[in-house]
Amino acid sequence: MNLERLPNEEKLTLCRKYYLGGFACLPFLWLVNVVWFFKEAFVKPTYTEQTQIKTYVKRSALGLLLWVTVLTTWITIYQHFRAQWGEVGDYLSFTIPLGTP
Amino acid sequence: MNTSDSDEDAYNERTALVQSESPVVPSYRPDPGPGPAEESKGAGISRRSRPGVDGGESDQEVDAEEEELPLKYGAKHVIMLFIPVTLCMVVVVATIKSVSFYSEKTNQQLIYTPFTEDTQNVGRRLLNSVLNTIIMISVIVVMTILLVVLYKYRCYRFIHGWLILSSLMLLFWFSFMYLGEVFKTYNVAVDYPTVAMIIWNFGAVGMICIHWKGPLQLQQAYLILISALMALVFIKYLPEWSAWVILGAISIYDLVAVLSPKGPLRMLVETAQERNEPIFPALIYSSAMMWTVGMASSTDAQRSETDEEAEQNDRRAEPRSQQPRAVSEDELEEERGVKLGLGDFIFYSVLVGKAAATGGDWNTTIACFVAILIGLCLTLLLLAIFKKALPALPISITFGLIFYFSTDFLVQPFMDNLANHQFYI
């Protein structure tokens, strides 16, 4: 799908759909939104829908940042304290490494 | 029908003459299923866009000056296909070499290959593999015919649902298994919430990209990844000798199904051409976007069959081109792309992956890799000459098989002996 040949309204709807979709715990979708529409929002010469696309891209970037922080924090906590948590740690684990930590 | 922009082709007589290498390689879709589920294979035929009826003028004067073009496009097309095929094979070989799960012997077999290869007798083993192959190929033939029938009677929603179900399973279930095995191999601890987030994001964005709209590179990457996942499942669950016989038999089937007048794939292609419909984007890998202003495009329809539970892959290669209308005053841009069905990716990767898993060392793997690329080159060349749908499997698989067996049994011991005696040639 090439953004070049889409009319501006369709670009806006696509950007909005990607933005709304990211709320379903999909930071990856927000990342795709940011990367894909970055040129459209910030590099291209102005057109009517561009301001709205800009807001969507900015908000997607914000949401993405938030999710990245949350996930990094959780992963750090988990990796650090997993052995100490005992049974709860095992219950949470998908894979448990072999050998002594 | 789900259509993505990339499937629009504009094709008219001018284009037909100009691009001499626009034949389409039919795609072949196998549908393997995971261990618990059955796998199915579908064969798809790729079609290429039929010549448009726009403008009846002849292009003789264009012919001479544009004779240079086909060559230039040809090389570019070949490279455009080399890269994804290579990437897919690299992913498969890397996984095979590092994650031992996929090359471990397992007693569990797919229900499509019920005969075991655990017997002592060589003849018995051979017989079992041939029987397995017969069963597998019949399943594929049945699936293909079912698909043709469904398509002929316009049961589009059923086909769509099937496609979505199979890509769902591939994107979520197989990648979950794959991720688990990778983590176990590297001995890292991962918790369920993180895994859930990863798989959910990967799968959901994959579904969106493949079945709806998404950036082209991301769509290509997802198609490569799911082909690699499918190939890995095949490598794991097909018994040794059966896999090689199946590869050979499928190439022959592909040849027959696409080229013979009564072949199911050919009928699919022709029906789709008549109806001027695009192919399902989930089944084909397209390497470029085409765009034009005010251009009607005829699309190639491609069909692949799928198993109820498995995903379907199409294999076909198809150059797409657009031709500006003679009357249009806008500046029209042309970009050609090539399409290859996903089944081709899968079987190429199965061949190379099996060579990596069971062959001697890297010599065999690289030999098979080179053989497949050479076969792909030749297929594209034939495509340029014949300008019609061609099967992408036979030449590459034949070369691959020849190279595998000869390297494994002739070249490898030779090189080992030379190395043992420190004799450098």
Side-chain angles (χ1 to χ4, degrees):
Chain A
M1 152 131 295
N2 197 349
L3 277 185
E4 302 287 326
R5 60 172 172 154
L6 281 181
N8 289 336
E9 306 83 44
E10 287 189 29
K11 281 188 211 162
L12 182 62
T13 11
L14 200 59
C15 192
R16 181 190 299 127
K17 288 204 177 131
Y18 266 69
Y19 168 66
L20 293 174
F23 279 107
C25 294
L26 288 172
F28 191 27
L29 203 59
W30 276 334
L31 176 67
V32 173
N33 202 12
V34 168
V35 170
W36 201 18
F37 281 97
F38 188 77
K39 250 202 198 155
E40 288 293 325
F42 297 107
V43 176
K44 285 240 159 80
T46 334
Y47 51 91
T48 32
E49 290 85 356
Q50 199 188 34
T51 38
Q52 279 215 288
I53 292 186
K54 252 194 214 173
T55 26
Y56 286 136
V57 170
K58 284 190 196 154
R59 287 192 199 160
S60 301
L62 205 66
L64 177 68
L65 213 63
L66 205 73
W67 267 106
V68 167
T69 344
V70 167
L71 278 174
T72 323
T73 326
W74 163 247
I75 291 178
T76 328
I77 294 177
Y78 173 76
Q79 294 290 341
H80 207 254
F81 291 113
R82 182 188 56 85
Q84 298 166 23
W85 280 344
E87 209 179 291
V88 178
D90 284 349
Y91 179 66
L92 276 176
S93 300
F94 172 52
T95 49
I96 303 178
L98 309 166
T100 47
Chain B
M1 243 210 253
N2 186 9
T3 60
S4 69
D5 292 352
S6 60
D7 285 331
E8 325 269 14
D9 288 351
Y11 207 75
N12 62 25
E13 282 161 307
R14 243 186 114 194
T15 322
L17 279 176
V18 167
Q19 66 177 93
S20 59
E21 15 91 48
S22 56
V24 174
V25 176
S27 68
Y28 174 90
R29 279 182 325 135
D31 275 332
E38 55 277 29
E39 50 173 13
S40 59
K41 282 197 216 194
I45 277 199
S46 57
R47 303 185 43 132
R48 86 198 146 111
S49 27
R50 60 171 172 74
V53 291
D54 188 311
E57 54 175 69
S58 78
D59 303 60
Q60 279 117 3
E61 69 271 17
V62 197
D63 232 6
E65 59 194 342
E66 277 163 339
E67 254 178 57
E68 303 296 332
L69 279 178
L71 288 178
K72 186 174 91 179
Y73 281 125
K76 210 164 87 159
H77 284 154
V78 170
I79 299 293
M80 283 201 278
L81 279 190
F82 268 16
I83 295 179
V85 171
T86 313
L87 277 175
C88 191
M89 292 200 262
V90 161
V91 169
V92 170
V93 170
T95 310
I96 294 272
K97 290 287 186 188
S98 56
V99 179
S100 59
F101 171 74
Y102 286 103
S103 42
E104 273 166 9
K105 295 279 178 277
T106 174
N107 286 328
Q108 189 183 15
Q109 283 187 206
L110 301 159
I111 66 164
Y112 297 115
T113 53
F115 295 94
T116 175
E117 285 195 10
D118 241 342
T119 55
Q120 305 289 66
N121 198 350
V122 169
R124 176 109 201 131
R125 191 171 181 186
L126 199 61
L127 179 70
N128 280 353
S129 8
V130 171
L131 289 173
N132 278 340
T133 311
I134 292 175
I135 295 178
M136 180 78 93
I137 301 288
S138 354
V139 168
I140 294 178
V141 172
V142 164
M143 287 297 156
T144 321
I145 295 178
L146 182 66
L147 191 72
V148 176
V149 164
L150 280 176
Y151 189 55
K152 263 204 147 77
Y153 290 109
R154 301 180 186 266
C155 309
Y156 292 139
R157 303 186 62 186
F158 189 82
I159 294 176
H160 262 291
W162 206 359
L163 270 177
I164 289 184
L165 209 66
S166 48
S167 42
L168 259 177
M169 189 181 61
L170 208 62
L171 279 171
F172 286 99
W173 177 244
F174 283 168
S175 50
F176 177 71
M177 271 172 49
Y178 179 78
L179 207 63
E181 291 309 320
V182 169
F183 286 144
K184 281 187 200 146
T185 306
Y186 290 107
N187 216 21
V188 296
V190 190
D191 53 315
Y192 277 115
T194 312
V195 164
M197 271 302 284
I198 296 175
I199 296 291
W200 168 238
N201 272 274
F202 179 75
V205 178
M207 290 299 290
I208 291 175
C209 270
I210 296 175
H211 291 279
W212 191 54
K213 301 178 189 156
L216 181 68
Q217 281 98 341
L218 196 62
Q219 186 185 23
Q220 293 173 336
Y222 266 107
L223 290 175
I224 292 177
L225 283 174
I226 62 178
S227 308
L229 281 175
M230 190 69 92
L232 284 169
V233 166
F234 263 139
I235 294 173
K236 174 147 181 83
Y237 288 111
L238 284 181
E240 298 261 347
W241 290 16
S242 305
W244 297 110
V245 184
I246 285 174
L247 274 174
I250 272 197
S251 318
I252 299 175
Y253 168 69
D254 200 24
L255 201 64
V256 164
V258 173
L259 293 180
S260 75
K262 281 296 174 188
L265 296 185
R266 191 182 183 146
M267 276 167 41
L268 262 177
V269 172
E270 282 164 8
T271 321
Q273 251 183 1
E274 282 163 32
R275 297 187 197 164
N276 202 13
E277 278 168 354
I279 305 147
F280 291 121
L283 309 171
I284 304 170
Y285 174 93
S286 53
S287 61
M289 286 303 309
M290 299 197 309
W291 64 88
T292 183
V293 177
M295 177 54 61
S297 48
S298 70
T299 56
D300 306 354
Q302 172 166 354
R303 288 271 142 191
S304 54
E305 30 180 288
T306 45
D307 199 329
E308 305 88 277
E309 1 349 82
E311 54 110 36
Q312 17 179 303
N313 302 301
D314 277 339
R315 289 178 311 116
R316 72 181 171 177
E318 182 177 302
R320 299 174 303 150
S321 67
Q322 288 211 347
Q323 193 72 13
R325 275 194 211 278
V327 295
S328 168
E329 285 167 17
D330 302 318
E331 173 144 330
L332 297 165
E333 292 178 39
E334 252 186 61
E335 169 129 340
R336 290 169 187 218
V338 194
K339 286 188 195 171
L340 184 66
L342 289 192
D344 295 328
F345 280 92
I346 292 180
F347 280 106
Y348 294 162
S349 309
V350 166
L351 192 135
V352 177
K354 267 252 173 270
T358 60
D361 54 7
W362 286 101
N363 274 333
T364 325
T365 314
I366 294 181
C368 288
F369 169 71
V370 170
I372 287 181
L373 289 188
I374 293 176
L376 192 61
C377 257
L378 283 175
T379 313
L380 286 172
L381 189 68
L382 283 179
L383 208 62
I385 297 174
F386 288 113
K387 297 189 189 47
K388 56 184 219 145
L390 291 180
L393 274 186
I395 302 179
S396 289
I397 298 285
T398 316
F399 279 6
L401 288 175
I402 294 174
F403 270 61
Y404 172 74
F405 286 111
S406 55
T407 314
D408 212 28
F409 292 115
L410 298 175
V411 179
Q412 194 63 42
F414 177 62
M415 302 290 292
D416 285 343
N417 251 314
L418 286 184
N420 280 342
H421 293 101
Q422 294 284 294
F423 190 75
Y424 297 104
I425 55 171

